[in-house]
Amino acid sequence: LVLFTLRADLGDVGTSGRYILPLYLMCLITYLASVETRFSRPLITSRTISRILIFTLTLGNSIALHQTMRRYITGIDVIGWNLNKNAEWWWKVGPSPMTIWMLGTIAFGLTATLVLQMARVRVEQ
């Protein structure tokens, strides 16, 4: 998966790794929560490890989402965390860029949490 992403960045595949990586993160969560080991249980069974994984992957996805949004909202000439500042390519009516970023981060975190909870319920049955 990592090599494909690098290939997409380096070659003329027509896309970039930053578009593919968030999809890989959710696939990684799903895989780790559902694959059964030789002990007939998933790799992730601890609630603490689940929470650490969800937090880490959500943080990584949030940073990637922020960087992608920054690139398309202001270009690379504006530096900083406030996506609302100097927004060049955003609609005047509707939610602000920071609101969309936060909603995207929350949606990813909730989805990751649900995936792990559903996998845990499946294992307990």
Side-chain angles (χ1 to χ4, degrees), residues 43-56 116 120:
L43 292 171
I44 299 175
T45 55
S46 167
R47 289 184 190 267
T48 304
I49 292 174
S50 295
R51 289 179 182 142
I52 291 170
L53 180 65
I54 289 169
F55 174 78
T56 305
L116 285 172
R120 184 174 290 118

Side-chain angles (χ1 to χ4, degrees), residues 65-80:
L65 179 61
H66 185 278
Q67 292 300 317
T68 301
M69 288 180 68
R70 166 64 69 204
R71 181 172 180 219
Y72 289 104
I73 293 169
T74 61
I76 58 172
D77 57 338
V78 177
I79 298 173

Side-chain angles (χ1 to χ4, degrees), residues 10-82:
L10 298 175
D12 294 327
V13 176
T15 187
S16 180
R18 70 180 157 272
Y19 304 119
I20 300 168
L21 283 173
L23 297 173
Y24 286 165
L25 291 176
M26 194 54 70
C27 291
L28 178 64
I29 292 171
T30 305
Y31 174 77
L32 292 175
S34 61
V35 68
E36 290 189 2
T37 62
R38 62 185 172 155
F39 303 111
S40 298
R41 62 182 176 87
L43 292 171
I44 299 175
T45 55
S46 167
R47 289 184 190 267
T48 304
I49 292 174
S50 295
R51 289 179 182 142
I52 291 170
L53 180 65
I54 289 169
F55 174 78
T56 305
L57 292 177
T58 300
L59 179 64
N61 184 69
S62 181
I63 292 169
L65 179 61
H66 185 278
Q67 292 300 317
T68 301
M69 288 180 68
R70 166 64 69 204
R71 181 172 180 219
Y72 289 104
I73 293 169
T74 61
I76 58 172
D77 57 338
V78 177
I79 298 173
W81 279 98
N82 187 357

